Amino acid sequence: MLKGLTHVAVWVTDIDRALDFYLRIPGVREHFRLHKEDGSLWLVYLRVADYQFIELFPRASGPYERPTHAGFAHFCMETDDIAALHRELTANGIIPDSEPRMGADGSWQMWIHDPDGNPIEFQQFIEGSMHHERPT
């Protein structure tokens, strides 16, 4: 019945600055835009993979603040080569928080933050990671 996650929605303070950032992530491309009845921009869909998107909503009132209440904390994108992704991000002017590291779940991970401070994780699943185990 369920096939997967289709998108995450991110509020941004400056859509042009956000697009400049997100479109420097290898593989992310603008897919389409939606406008309100008055013609103003409502949101921009960025394609990550087949039927997987990031929605950027303009006009956030301020930068990201770490939640202290229930709600979403970050989103994560899968890569098949985290070391190469680290190099490409850096070459594109996006400086990851650190070198890729092994997570407690047995998969490689790395973090960046968009211009508004929204946290983004990248993960490479490898043989033996907890993500490869099948539910019982």
Side-chain angles (χ1 to χ4, degrees):
M1 182 177 286
L2 288 179
K3 294 176 66 174
L5 296 174
T6 62
H7 68 268
V8 296
V10 180
W11 285 97
V12 299
T13 57
D14 182 325
I15 192 68
D16 293 325
R17 184 176 68 159
L19 285 167
D20 176 64
F21 174 84
Y22 281 93
L23 296 176
R24 286 187 282 137
I25 297 172
V28 174
R29 300 288 176 260
E30 184 171 329
H31 198 64
F32 64 86
R33 294 175 180 220
L34 294 177
H35 294 83
K36 297 179 182 180
E37 286 184 22
D38 66 5
S40 64
L41 182 64
W42 178 25
L43 63 92
V44 178
Y45 257 80
L46 304 178
R47 185 181 185 279
V48 176
D50 288 345
Y51 306 110
Q52 295 178 7
F53 303 92
I54 300 168
E55 288 179 337
L56 295 182
F57 284 86
R59 294 179 294 282
S61 62
Y64 173 84
E65 293 182 26
R66 185 173 185 204
T68 58
H69 55 280
F72 294 100
H74 70 276
F75 68 92
C76 181
M77 291 185 270
E78 182 183 2
T79 180
D80 60 2
D81 189 338
I82 202 158
L85 178 61
H86 184 277
R87 287 190 301 274
E88 286 192 52
L89 287 170
T90 303
N92 290 343
I94 299 173
I95 307 304
D97 295 356
S98 66
E99 297 286 325
R101 64 180 174 83
M102 182 59 64
D105 58 10
S107 62
W108 287 100
Q109 56 186 236
M110 168 179 68
W111 292 80
I112 62 174
H113 289 79
D114 78 4
D116 287 305
N118 293 303
I120 304 164
E121 180 182 8
F122 295 97
Q123 197 165 34
Q124 180 181 352
F125 302 129
I126 59 172
E127 200 63 42
S129 75
M130 292 179 176
H131 299 86
H132 277 277
E133 293 183 18
R134 299 283 183 229
T136 56

